[in-house]
Amino acid sequence: MTILPTLAIVGRPNVGKSTLFNRLIGKRQAIVHDQPGVTRDRITGRFELEDGQPAALIDTGGLVPGDDPLGLGEQVALAIEESDVLLFMVDGKEGLTTADQRVWDELRMIAKPTVLVVNKSDTKAAMEGWGEFYQLGVDPVVLVSAEHGLGIGDLDDAVRALLPKVEAPIEDDDMPSIAIVGRPNVGKSSLINRLLGEDRTLVSPVAGTTRDPIDSVLEQDGRQYRLIDTAGIRRRSQVTGDAEALAVLFARRQIERADVAVLVLDASQGIRTGDLSIGGDAWERGRPVIVALNKWDLLDEEAREELEKDWPRLQEVLTEPARVNVSALSGRRIDRLLPAVDDVLERQNLELGTGELNRFFERQIARHSPPHNQGKPWKLFYTTQVSKAPPTFMLFANRTLKRSDPYRRYLENRLRETYDLAGVPIRLVIRKR
């Protein structure tokens, strides 16, 4: 895959970096909130300049030199290192601040091409006082309103003049996407960092450290994967604050754009109701789920036996999911995770011919008689596969069957057993003809 030219949006907290990021990539990927520090990891998106050239864009947490309890500065430094051009963002409404000056004092030492982006330029204060930003000595200076889209064309011109050109097209549409999901503080970010071999996401014992969805590209054995780290998903009653509520909402959205979900559980805590809820949520969206039991090495024999007793609760929700016992901290059995992903991705792309499918259902109905309603049996006329990932089958019958009907479950289970679809969602759409 060709490496995209990359821009990083940097600046002190709450100047509108995430708003500009969302504006440029054309969707709400980063969380926007008035509270400083909501963006904690570096978030990557892709967009196209006006001449059609693709580029990568990185949103970063607010940089506060000398005050960095969560290691945000390290994340910003990594984003800067990855980037070809920096978008140094300031708040035109507030004017030049000491914090802006301190941030620039650090950035100027890096000596990378930089565009000074003066945000909120549609306000009276910005229009009257933006000239003071020339004191910083940054050139060029572009005035924008990230919220209303003003000045984006001027920013595009400034960026195109500084970015290196892409010599080859980018082809990554076939890259499978893996959403790493789970309750807060079970080790999702640690797992991704272990897979990538770098500190790509913030790791902290403070629950809720990851708030924004983060995409990373992993290459292994010549194949590329898109890893999506998500905020820890809690039950609604346990969510505190608007920013965390948004993070939970965004995490659920990331499941929808993934091909498969890896549900990370803290093995030392056992299987919780929240784990079942998250796994069920991915399953209902038609995504196969692989269970990664993290911190497995911390369990003694008694704790492992208790976990095994509890395992059927998760099997019931996810229908025999693939399971990998891992340790993100030590790297134990991490190498088994991607093969499990490849396996389930291949199996969920099952395609059955119409003839074979109808013969299969005829055999299953002959083995187990269908239910009766008012003395009349349920009768199947015809079936065909209408899509894959997840495998979806259209059944035409003399009447429908409720989702909770045991006979529907019987047919699903026989499909799963016959065609090796353990851990793969199956959709039976039954239409009355």
Side-chain angles (χ1 to χ4, degrees):
M1 183 179 71
T2 304
I3 298 176
L4 287 174
T6 303
L7 302 93
I9 308 174
V10 295
R12 62 180 174 85
N14 218 30
V15 295
K17 298 185 295 298
S18 294
T19 304
L20 179 63
F21 178 87
N22 290 338
R23 170 69 62 180
L24 291 176
I25 69 170
K27 59 183 178 181
R28 288 191 63 198
Q29 181 172 330
I31 299 174
V32 178
H33 198 275
D34 291 337
Q35 175 186 339
V38 167
T39 301
R40 301 183 180 186
D41 294 285
R42 61 195 197 276
I43 311 157
T44 303
R46 174 178 166 175
F47 74 110
E48 288 189 356
L49 299 164
E50 287 187 357
D51 62 358
Q53 175 177 328
L57 185 66
I58 305 175
D59 186 20
T60 65
L63 189 58
V64 184
D67 182 15
D68 191 23
L70 281 176
L72 299 178
E74 181 180 350
Q75 290 292 304
V76 177
L78 288 169
I80 292 171
E81 183 180 344
E82 295 173 10
S83 302
D84 301 293
V85 174
L86 305 181
L87 302 182
F88 174 35
M89 198 164 190
V90 295
D91 187 331
K93 185 178 180 180
E94 293 186 11
L96 181 61
T97 67
T98 302
D100 293 325
Q101 184 67 63
R102 291 176 64 192
V103 171
W104 177 241
D105 287 343
E106 290 199 4
L107 294 178
R108 72 195 308 169
M109 303 298 294
I110 301 167
K112 284 207 171 185
T114 302
V115 178
L116 179 60
V117 183
V118 182
N119 192 27
K120 306 178 186 178
S121 62
D122 52 337
T123 62
K124 182 179 180 181
M127 288 186 285
E128 292 178 350
W130 68 271
E132 65 179 321
F133 288 105
Y134 278 105
Q135 298 176 38
L136 296 172
V138 187
D139 183 49
V141 179
V142 179
L143 277 65
V144 305
S145 170
E147 184 175 358
H148 300 110
L150 303 177
I152 300 301
D154 294 333
L155 179 60
D156 187 281
D157 292 339
V159 167
R160 280 191 286 121
L162 297 174
L163 272 185
K165 296 293 183 182
V166 176
E167 301 297 332
I170 311 301
E171 297 291 345
D172 65 350
D173 291 340
D174 295 332
M175 189 187 307
S177 295
I178 308 169
I180 311 296
V181 299
R183 293 183 294 107
N185 214 28
V186 295
K188 298 184 298 298
S189 295
S190 297
L191 181 63
I192 284 190
N193 289 339
R194 173 63 64 174
L195 287 167
L196 294 171
E198 61 170 304
D199 291 334
R200 179 61 182 83
T201 61
L202 283 177
V203 178
S204 169
V206 179
T209 299
T210 300
R211 284 183 174 167
D212 292 288
I214 305 165
D215 287 6
S216 304
V217 175
L218 168 65
E219 184 167 348
Q220 183 166 305
D221 299 328
R223 187 174 185 187
Q224 292 176 327
Y225 305 84
R226 181 179 293 106
L227 303 180
I228 307 170
D229 191 13
T230 61
I233 304 176
R234 302 186 187 183
R235 283 180 290 176
R236 189 175 299 274
S237 61
Q238 296 177 324
V239 173
T240 58
D242 293 341
E244 189 176 352
L246 281 172
V248 171
L249 174 63
F250 277 28
R252 295 188 186 279
R253 288 180 179 173
Q254 301 319 303
I255 292 174
E256 294 179 358
R257 71 184 184 95
D259 299 300
V260 61
V262 172
L263 175 62
V264 184
L265 275 62
D266 185 336
S268 64
Q269 297 178 6
I271 297 172
R272 302 286 187 86
T273 302
D275 301 321
L276 301 175
S277 175
I278 297 165
D281 193 71
W283 188 263
E284 287 299 316
R285 284 169 166 75
R287 304 302 185 267
V289 178
I290 295 168
V291 180
L293 283 171
N294 191 28
K295 309 181 187 178
W296 180 258
D297 52 335
L298 300 181
L299 273 60
D300 57 24
E301 192 62 33
E302 183 179 354
R304 292 183 181 183
E305 289 178 2
E306 287 298 319
L307 187 61
E308 295 301 334
K309 291 178 182 178
D310 219 15
W311 178 251
R313 298 173 63 203
L314 202 55
Q315 284 183 311
E316 178 67 21
V317 173
L318 301 177
T319 315
E320 302 292 334
R323 162 182 163 178
V324 184
N325 302 330
V326 303
S327 170
L329 186 62
S330 68
R332 180 184 187 272
R333 294 188 176 178
I334 291 293
D335 59 333
R336 300 187 182 186
L337 193 57
L338 290 180
V341 168
D342 290 338
D343 178 61
V344 77
L345 286 174
E346 180 179 355
R347 289 188 289 114
Q348 77 160 352
N349 283 298
L350 170 77
E351 290 186 272
L352 297 175
T354 300
E356 179 183 357
L357 195 57
N358 280 280
R359 288 190 295 272
F360 164 81
F361 278 106
E362 287 175 5
R363 291 194 302 271
Q364 306 315 314
I365 292 172
R367 290 173 182 172
H368 182 48
S369 299
H372 287 62
N373 183 18
Q374 296 180 348
K376 294 182 179 180
W378 181 79
K379 185 176 181 180
L380 178 65
F381 299 122
Y382 177 81
T383 183
T384 186
Q385 183 172 355
V386 293
S387 67
K388 56 183 182 178
T392 303
F393 307 96
M394 184 76 74
L395 282 67
F396 296 93
N398 61 342
R399 65 172 183 271
T400 61
L401 294 175
K402 294 180 180 179
R403 291 188 63 183
S404 59
D405 192 293
Y407 200 73
R408 177 192 283 267
R409 175 65 66 87
Y410 161 75
L411 294 175
E412 290 179 0
N413 288 341
R414 296 295 80 75
L415 272 168
R416 192 167 278 112
E417 291 173 3
T418 303
Y419 296 104
D420 190 24
L421 295 175
V424 175
I426 294 174
R427 297 285 184 265
L428 294 185
V429 182
I430 303 177
R431 294 276 180 87
K432 180 180 178 180
R433 195 182 73 175

